[in-house]
Amino acid sequence: MNPLADQPTALILAGGGSFGAIQVGMLRALVAYGVVPDLVIGSSVGAINGAYFACAPNAGGVARLEAIWGGLRRSDVFPLAWRGVLGLLGQRNFAVDPAGLRSVLEQCLPYSTFEQTSIPLHVVATDLLQGVTVRLSSGPVVDAVLASCAIPAVFPPVRIGKQYLIDGAIASNTPISVAIELGARRIIVLPTGFACALESPPRNAIASALHAVTLLIAHQLVMEIALYRQQAEIITVPPLCPLAASPYDFSRAAELIERAADQTRRWLEHGGLTRQRVPPALVAHGH
């Protein structure tokens, strides 16, 4: 039996670079268990997964999303060319041309506007000039997702209307408050976690930035759960631990998907959806 039946349920997908593959495994297990949310909220890479899932919230849709992740390469998302070199030299305010990620989104998403999803989709970004959370819920989806993924100094800001938008992680990567404002009273958070078992620091600027963002996301999530736990039931799917991969490495997507699907299935079988707790893997720890 699905303990979330007949409840206004929001599915929140946080950011985390290539660790977004972990969410795909979580989605596989949740869908198999019968979980279908009333709305989907995504930030950063979670906006990519959320945008796809919102149009096909079923086993077939998740299987197609797995296939997309299985074919992704770092160069598809982070193509470094001469424009990127200029960014690293300080002659531009970004290092990676967003054309690669835009191409991936345009090829993979089978629709173009928020209004075409099967269940309501909301994408979270940050206003670069004011530093506030911005919820995008209508209009072109690709532009909104690009804005939510625009890691400062890595990708350029995305202008939508009069606002210059950057990565949702900066203001609120796990936007529990947005879900509550939209009427959700049960919230399922899919965090990507962080690399808790690395033996040495990341070796380049982009990898370092992504690793730092994953630490920020985990820290924010723990604080948001504490802040909003009296206003809604907040259920957090445990991320993988130990994790010794890099959020800049897309070559391990299949492995991460399988590990996450397996772990989430066991968590569900042991009553995970009936308990509200912060997974230990989200709190600072060592191995």
Side-chain angles (χ1 to χ4, degrees), residues 108-182:
C108 295
L109 286 178
Y111 66 101
S112 58
T113 67
F114 282 87
E115 291 76 12
Q116 295 172 282
T117 58
S118 297
I119 53 178
L121 168 69
H122 306 274
V123 170
V124 174
T126 300
D127 186 307
L128 174 61
L129 301 182
Q130 297 183 357
V132 297
T133 296
V134 175
R135 173 170 60 87
L136 302 166
S137 307
S138 62
V141 168
V142 169
D143 287 346
V145 173
L146 282 173
S148 187
C149 292
I151 303 167
V154 177
F155 290 114
V158 176
R159 185 171 182 177
I160 296 181
K162 296 182 178 180
Q163 295 175 303
Y164 291 89
L165 303 178
I166 57 175
D167 198 309
I170 306 306
S172 180
N173 194 274
T174 49
I176 293 173
S177 62
V178 172
I180 293 173
E181 290 169 6
L182 290 168

Side-chain angles (χ1 to χ4, degrees), residues 33-48:
Y33 196 73
V35 175
V36 180
D38 298 291
L39 63 150
V40 175
I41 304 171
S43 179
S44 199
V45 74
I48 298 175

